[in-house]
Amino acid sequence: MNFQELLDCIMYVKARNKRVTIITNATLLDSEKIKLLVKLKVDLIEITINSYSKEIHENINGIKGSFDKSIKAIKEIINNGIEVVAPIVITKYNVKDIEKTLEFIYGLGIKRIMINRYNIGGNGCNEYNDILANLDDLQNAYKECQKFAEKHNLKLYSLVCTPHCVLDPDDYPNIVFSNCGVNNLNRRYTLTRDGNIRYCNHSPEVIGNIFDNKMIDILKSDKLKQWAKIEPVFCKDCNKKDICQYGCRAASQQMGYGLKKEDPIVSIYKVKNK
């Protein structure tokens, strides 16, 4: 929202020879701002497109007029040479139109597409029944994504950590899945503007503050050690747990369950413990 502050952050990071990805709905990006991002050599801009349908897209994100603004910005960003990646958050509202949405995004010239199942958090902790696609529809949507990826010789990316008992990566060879992992040196830490460090952008738990602690001390903290040591009871005897890494543990934190409880998507979908 404060564009000058964003530019300062980009310059700080690029001066240290690091990659910069901006996640935005692009509704505030005009031609002048896009040219500044090009000048600062931003590597990637991630803009969510939840549907080929303007009505469905805006129903999901709740912003009237956002569809046309986002599409206009995407075309201009691509024309200026910055790569765009388009995530789709799969909900009950767009799950059955996934093929049309993928073809629409591909037609914009976007070759990197993310497909993410809805991950529970924030207000969604109380509203997930109104948002979640049912399990059969979700799995069928991923089958459609696999067919699309094969047709266009692409890799799609599913980067919301998902338990393998819900979506098994072996069933979707053209979709790259991620997991949270227990390696604390390879975590997607989140830094807020007031200095708080969280496990990731989805986790609500603050594990330290860089104005009060050195980062090396935060990385050695008991909270981080517990993340690696504690495993959900449901997953204890699963032979895929070392690959799956329990889905999204931060979603359990969002729901107030703690680390001993499995990703809430497992119990909501009534997945059997095999």
Side-chain angles (χ1 to χ4, degrees):
M1 300 295 286
N2 183 333
F3 193 70
Q4 184 56 53
E5 186 172 325
L6 175 64
L7 295 179
D8 291 343
C9 292
I10 294 169
M11 285 188 283
Y12 181 91
V13 175
K14 295 303 286 186
R16 284 149 182 81
N17 200 30
K18 303 297 182 184
R19 286 178 57 82
V20 170
T21 297
I22 295 175
I23 301 175
T24 174
N25 61 23
T27 56
L28 299 179
L29 282 182
D30 55 28
S31 297
E32 184 181 342
K33 289 175 180 175
I34 290 169
K35 285 173 183 171
L36 284 170
L37 298 180
V38 172
K39 203 175 273 190
L40 290 177
K41 300 188 185 302
V42 167
D43 298 280
L44 189 71
I45 299 182
E46 185 179 307
I47 304 169
T48 300
I49 303 175
N50 284 320
S51 177
Y52 74 97
S53 159
K54 175 179 179 177
E55 182 182 359
I56 295 172
H57 174 84
E58 293 182 0
N59 182 48
I60 291 172
N61 74 10
I63 307 171
K64 291 293 181 187
S66 62
F67 184 82
D68 291 338
K69 290 178 181 178
S70 295
I71 300 305
K72 180 182 177 184
I74 285 169
K75 291 176 180 177
E76 191 161 350
I77 290 164
I78 291 173
N79 287 339
N80 277 276
I82 299 180
E83 186 177 11
V84 172
V85 60
I88 307 168
V89 180
I90 298 177
T91 69
K92 67 192 296 183
Y93 303 105
N94 60 1
V95 65
K96 294 186 178 178
D97 295 325
I98 193 72
E99 183 182 3
K100 290 181 181 178
T101 301
L102 288 167
E103 292 290 356
F104 173 76
I105 292 171
Y106 188 75
L108 293 172
I110 298 172
K111 301 299 187 291
R112 288 183 63 180
I113 305 173
M114 273 194 261
I115 45 162
N116 293 328
R117 54 99 177 176
Y118 174 72
N119 201 13
I120 296 170
N123 291 335
C125 292
N126 302 315
E127 302 169 0
Y128 58 82
N129 282 326
D130 297 327
I131 302 171
L132 279 174
N134 69 49
L135 181 55
D136 285 342
D137 284 345
L138 179 66
Q139 291 173 339
N140 286 334
Y142 269 72
K143 288 175 185 174
E144 291 298 323
C145 292
Q146 171 61 30
K147 290 178 187 175
F148 170 85
E150 288 176 354
K151 174 183 173 182
H152 294 287
N153 194 27
L154 295 175
K155 287 287 185 185
L156 302 183
Y157 300 86
S158 186
L159 302 185
V160 169
C161 308
T162 303
H164 289 197
C165 52
V166 173
L167 291 171
D168 188 344
D170 291 342
D171 294 334
Y172 317 101
N174 283 63
I175 303 175
V176 178
F177 287 77
S178 73
N179 58 52
C180 183
V182 295
N183 181 352
N184 289 329
L185 294 178
N186 195 32
R187 185 176 299 286
R188 298 182 184 94
Y189 294 102
T190 297
L191 169 67
T192 65
R193 65 188 300 170
D194 53 1
N196 286 333
I197 296 281
R198 304 201 311 269
Y199 291 107
C200 65
N201 62 311
H202 196 67
S203 172
E205 186 172 358
V206 175
I207 57 175
N209 186 289
I210 58 166
F211 296 122
D212 301 327
N213 317 102
K214 292 181 178 178
M215 191 64 191
I216 189 65
D217 293 329
I218 295 173
L219 291 174
K220 292 178 179 178
S221 69
D222 289 338
K223 284 186 177 181
L224 277 180
K225 290 175 183 174
Q226 290 303 309
W227 187 286
K229 286 179 181 178
I230 296 173
E231 68 178 17
V233 175
F234 179 89
C235 307
K236 186 174 181 296
D237 296 321
C238 179
N239 62 5
K240 283 196 168 187
K241 65 182 180 182
D242 291 335
I243 306 169
C244 169
Q245 297 293 340
Y246 321 122
C248 181
R249 311 189 78 189
S252 296
Q253 291 183 315
Q254 289 270 3
M255 295 286 284
Y257 296 151
L259 297 177
K260 288 189 177 181
K261 181 72 173 174
E262 69 276 6
D263 186 321
I265 204 79
V266 172
S267 53
I268 290 167
Y269 283 148
K270 298 179 181 177
V271 174
K272 300 295 183 186
N273 189 329
K274 297 177 183 178

